Amino acid sequence: MSRARALVAALLVALVVAPHFLDRFWLQVGSLTMAAAIAAIGLTLLVGVAGQISLAHAVFVGLGAYGYIVLAAPSDAAGWGLGLPTPLAAIGGVTLAGLAGLAISPLSGRVSGLYLAVVTIGLVFIWQHALQEVEDFSGGYAGRPAPELSVLGLSLGESQPWHIAQVPYGGAEKTWLLSLAALVCAFVAARNIARGRPGLALAMIKENEIGARSLGVDVRRGRAAVFGLASLYAGVAGVLMALTTQFVTPQSFGFQLSTDYLVMVIIGGVASVRGAVAGALFVTVLPRVLGQYTDGLPFLARVGSGGIDANVLSVFVYCALLLVVIMFARGGLDRLLGLLVSSRRASAVVGH
Amino acid sequence: MDSLLSATANGLSLGALYAVMALGFVVIYRATGVLNFAHGAILLTGVYIASVVSQAHGYAPGALAGVGAGATVAVVAETVFLRHSKTRDHITLTILTLGLNILLVTEVSRRIGTHTLPLHDPIGNALTRFGGLTLPTARVLALVVSLVVITAFLLAFRLTRWGLAMRVSTADAEVASLMGVRLSVVSWTSWAIGGALAVISGLFLASFPAPGVTPSLADTAFRAFPAAVLGGLGSVGGALVGGILLGLAEAFAATYEGALGSWAHNLSGISAWLLLLVVLLLRPEGLFSARTVRRV
C-alpha cells in the first residue's frame, strides 16, 4: 500500500507543477480530461455502484455549463443572463444540475434497469430539443461564450496573468489547477461514498432489491439520491468544461457525449473510481492527440476526406476496447492500474 | 377535417413501421434479455447494402440483400460478441450492443459520407388517392407490408415450433432446455428475425417522402425504443400498440404543432419521448407488463 501512496503523491506533485511546462494545447486537453473524469466518477457511482444505467449524463453536464453561463453573463445580444458574481454562478450551475437530477426522482426512483436507460435517452432528446428552441438560453447553433471566473477579485481567467518563477500563468494554466483541485475533491468524496455505508446500501440495491429492502434500505430514496449525486458531479464537470473551452454550443451536450461517459465508466472497470478517471483519460485524450498529429501519422486521413481520420480511428479503438473489456476482462483499466501500483507480493495475495 | 384524416392515415403508416421495428426489439429481448442498442446500426447497414446492391441489380435483389445483411449482422453480433462474453449481466450486455452500434454506425457513415444514397425503388414519389385523401404510395405500401409482416410473425409465434420454443424459453429457460429446446438456436433465430425486421422498416423509412439513405437513419431506430418500452419490454402486443400509438402521436404533433403556437415548434420530434415519460411515471414497467408481486 505504501508504494501505491508514493505513486499517487508523485503523480499529484507532477500534476501540480505541470502547467509550468506544458503548452496551451496540452493544458486544455488536460483540463477537459479532468472535467470528464469528474463526470465519469459521478456516473460510475450511478452505473457501477448502484447498477442504474443512465444515458442522460450529458444533459446534466450541459445544465452545469449553461447554468454557469446564464447566471454569470449579463443579458445581451447573445442571450439571457443574470450577471451574478462568477463564483456564485459556478455554484449555481452545479446546484442547478443537482436539482434537475433530483427533480426527476419520481422517475429515477421508480423506473429501473433497461427502462431507465430508455427514459434517459428520452431526456437527452428532450433536452436537445429545448436547447434548440430556446435560443435566448443556449445561443442556438452559434453557442454562447463563457465569462471567466474571478474569485474575490482574483481572476482565474486570461485577463490578469500570474507570474510564477518567470512563467506567466494565463487562463489555461489557472483552469488546469482549478480542475485538478476539483478532481481531487470529487475523487476523495466518491471513494468515501462508495466504500462507506451509502455505497454498501447502493450495492445492496444493485445486487438484491428485496434483500436491501428487508434490511431497511429505502430503495426508492437510494436510487433517487444517487441519481441526484451523479448529476451534481456532472454539473461540476459542466462548469469546468465551460471555463476550459470558454465557449459552449448545444451540439456538444448530445447523445454522443452521454455514450462517451458510459464508455469511460465501462472501460475503466465496473464500480471503480480510479478506473473511471483512467477511462476518462483514454476517451478524452485519444481523439484530440490523434487529431493534433494527423499530419505526422501516415495511416490517418484528413477529417472530412472520407478516409479513416483521427475521430473515426479513435472511435474504433475505444469501441474495440469496450468490447474486449466487457467480453473478457471485467476489471478493465482499474485492474491494469492495480497490477501497476501494487507490489507483486500484494497482487499475488489479492489478485486470484 | 381533411388534416385530421390525413394525420391519422400518416400516423397509422408510420406507427406500423415503428411497430415492426419495436417487434424486433421485443423478440431479441425475450430471447436474450438484452435491449438491442445496435438496432439502428443494423438498420443502417442493411439499408446501405440495399442501396449499393440495387444500384447494380435493381430494387428487389437490393432489398433482399439488405434484409439478409441485417439478419446476418444481428446473428454475428449475437454469436460472436454476446455469447462469448464472460458476463451474463443484461445491463452490461446491453452496453456492449451500444458499443457495437457506435462502431458500425461510424463505419457506415464514413462510407456514406455527406451523400444521400438513392434506394432505386420503383415506386418513387408516386401518390395514391382515396376519396379526399392523398398519401405517398410508399407510405400506403409500408402499412400493407407492415401488416403482412406482423401477421406472419404472430402466426409463427403462435403456431410454429419455433414460436413455441421461444415462448417456453422465455417462461423458464432451464425447463425449456431440459425438454429439448435448444436455447442457442432460439437465440440466434430471434436475433436474425429482429435484424431482418429492422431492415424491412428501414427500407420504407428511407423511401419517399424521406430523401434516401443518410447516416441519420440510425437515429430513427431510437424512435422505436419508446414504442417497445411503452407496452412493456417483453410484450409482443405491447410493441404493436406502442408503435401505433407513437406513430399517431408523432403525426398529430406534426400536423397540429403549428396551431399550438411557438412553444410547440418541432414538437413531433420529441412527442414519442414525452408520451413515454408520462406512461412510465404512471406505470414504471410499461402498459402491458404483468404486474410482478414481490413480498418483503
Side-chain angles (χ1 to χ4, degrees):
Chain A
M1 207 54 211
S2 63
R3 186 177 155 192
R5 288 224 169 126
L7 278 175
V8 168
L11 183 68
L12 267 182
V13 171
L15 285 174
V16 170
V17 298
H20 217 80
F21 305 100
L22 294 177
D23 67 17
R24 218 182 164 74
F25 168 75
W26 286 104
L27 286 173
Q28 196 169 44
V29 170
S31 301
L32 284 178
T33 303
M34 291 188 263
I38 294 173
I41 290 174
L43 194 61
T44 215
L45 291 176
L46 183 63
V47 177
V49 178
Q52 290 279 80
I53 172 174
S54 161
L55 281 159
H57 217 50
V59 174
F60 302 103
V61 174
L63 272 172
Y66 270 114
Y68 170 69
I69 291 174
V70 169
L71 292 175
S75 256
D76 57 16
W80 298 326
L82 294 177
L84 294 178
T86 46
L88 267 184
I91 295 170
V94 175
T95 317
L96 184 69
L99 285 181
L102 284 182
I104 60 164
S105 66
L107 275 170
S108 59
R110 277 155 60 91
V111 180
S112 67
L114 295 174
Y115 287 84
L116 185 67
V118 176
V119 170
T120 51
I121 296 175
L123 289 181
V124 177
F125 285 112
I126 293 170
W127 156 252
Q128 283 284 308
H129 176 82
L131 280 184
Q132 269 156 27
E133 295 301 319
V134 192
E135 293 195 352
D136 283 331
F137 179 79
S138 70
Y141 278 102
R144 287 187 75 168
E148 56 185 48
L149 187 65
S150 86
V151 183
L152 302 174
L154 184 69
S155 159
L156 287 173
E158 202 63 50
S159 51
Q160 301 156 5
W162 308 334
H163 289 274
I164 301 176
Q166 276 99 47
V167 176
Y169 272 47
E173 285 84 358
K174 295 177 198 165
T175 312
W176 169 291
L177 292 175
L178 179 70
S179 309
L180 183 61
L183 175 59
V184 170
C185 297
F187 186 93
V188 173
R191 274 219 143 168
N192 288 337
I193 291 167
R195 288 177 175 176
R197 285 172 61 93
L200 274 180
L202 291 175
M204 188 83 206
I205 293 177
K206 174 187 177 185
E207 297 302 333
N208 186 342
E209 204 184 306
I210 299 172
R213 204 166 284 173
S214 66
L215 285 177
V217 176
D218 187 337
V219 172
R220 196 175 283 191
R221 225 183 103 201
R223 276 199 189 129
V226 72
F227 203 97
L229 184 70
S231 316
L232 214 56
Y233 270 82
V236 176
V239 174
L240 289 175
M241 265 171 82
L243 289 174
T244 307
T245 55
Q246 293 161 5
F247 200 84
V248 297
T249 55
Q251 300 85 288
S252 26
F253 303 105
F255 188 66
Q256 200 198 332
L257 188 69
S258 280
T259 53
D260 278 354
Y261 289 130
L262 207 55
V263 171
M264 292 173 199
V265 168
I266 300 291
I267 66 176
V270 175
S272 158
V273 174
R274 74 176 176 197
V277 177
L281 180 72
F282 189 84
V283 174
T284 316
V285 170
L286 188 68
R288 291 184 170 82
V289 170
L290 285 178
Q292 180 78 356
Y293 296 108
T294 297
D295 293 334
L297 300 169
F299 51 87
L300 279 184
R302 291 197 155 277
V303 173
S305 67
I308 295 188
D309 60 41
N311 293 330
V312 172
L313 183 70
S314 44
V315 168
F316 285 173
V317 171
Y318 82 60
C319 283
L321 191 62
L322 176 80
L323 296 181
V324 168
V325 167
I326 292 181
M327 288 177 68
F328 308 112
R330 283 214 77 185
L333 295 176
D334 171 62
R335 183 106 174 79
L336 208 62
L337 283 176
L339 293 177
L340 281 178
V341 170
S342 58
S343 65
R344 274 211 192 117
R345 248 186 72 221
S347 68
V349 174
V350 183
H352 58 83
Chain B
M1 196 58 210
D2 268 2
S3 65
L4 178 71
L5 212 60
S6 86
T8 313
N10 269 316
L12 280 179
S13 156
L14 197 61
L17 289 179
Y18 286 160
V20 168
M21 213 177 324
L23 210 53
F25 284 122
V26 169
V27 171
I28 289 174
Y29 179 78
R30 282 180 74 116
T32 37
V34 171
L35 183 59
N36 181 22
F37 272 105
H39 230 63
I42 293 171
L43 185 157
L44 185 64
T45 314
V47 177
Y48 169 71
I49 286 177
S51 158
V52 172
V53 174
S54 65
Q55 173 98 34
H57 304 287
Y59 182 68
L64 275 180
V67 173
T72 313
V73 172
V75 170
V76 168
E78 198 271 338
T79 48
V80 176
F81 293 104
L82 291 172
R83 199 169 296 173
H84 288 97
S85 290
K86 255 184 166 176
T87 173
R88 292 264 71 87
D89 174 40
H90 295 162
I91 290 193
T92 315
L93 289 179
T94 299
I95 297 176
L96 190 150
T97 63
L98 186 63
L100 284 177
N101 188 57
I102 304 173
L103 204 62
L104 264 176
V105 169
T106 309
E107 175 57 18
V108 178
S109 308
R110 184 177 73 80
R111 285 171 184 277
I112 296 177
T114 49
H115 310 286
T116 302
L117 303 181
L119 262 181
H120 306 284
D121 55 319
I123 310 158
N125 52 6
L127 297 172
T128 306
R129 285 170 211 284
F130 296 107
L133 196 64
T134 312
L135 283 173
T137 311
R139 278 287 145 90
V140 179
L141 207 63
L143 184 60
V144 175
V145 172
S146 304
L147 290 180
V148 171
V149 167
I150 290 169
T151 317
F153 175 84
L154 288 179
L155 287 178
F157 194 65
R158 282 284 146 209
L159 302 178
T160 64
R161 289 185 69 84
W162 168 80
L164 184 64
M166 171 103 201
R167 279 177 287 143
V168 171
S169 58
T170 318
D172 191 330
E174 220 162 87
V175 170
S177 67
L178 283 175
M179 301 305 266
V181 174
R182 289 185 56 184
L183 293 181
S184 58
V185 175
V186 170
S187 165
W188 76 253
T189 43
S190 308
W191 276 78
I193 289 172
L197 289 177
V199 180
I200 290 172
S201 55
L203 284 172
F204 285 106
L205 287 170
S207 54
F208 188 76
V213 182
T214 58
S216 66
L217 261 183
D219 298 339
T220 42
F222 279 110
R223 300 217 178 158
F225 272 119
V229 172
L230 197 66
L233 257 176
S235 154
V236 170
L240 301 181
V241 175
I244 300 284
L245 264 181
L246 293 189
L248 284 174
E250 197 176 318
F252 278 115
T255 310
Y256 294 108
E257 67 192 9
L260 287 174
S262 61
W263 64 270
H265 181 239
N266 282 338
L267 186 68
S268 59
I270 54 165
S271 54
W273 297 107
L274 292 174
L275 192 61
L276 178 74
L277 284 187
V278 174
V279 168
L280 287 192
L281 264 179
L282 301 175
R283 296 204 47 146
E285 295 189 334
L287 286 175
F288 297 98
S289 58
R291 190 157 272 202
T292 43
V293 180
R294 277 172 294 194
R295 271 190 214 194
V296 176

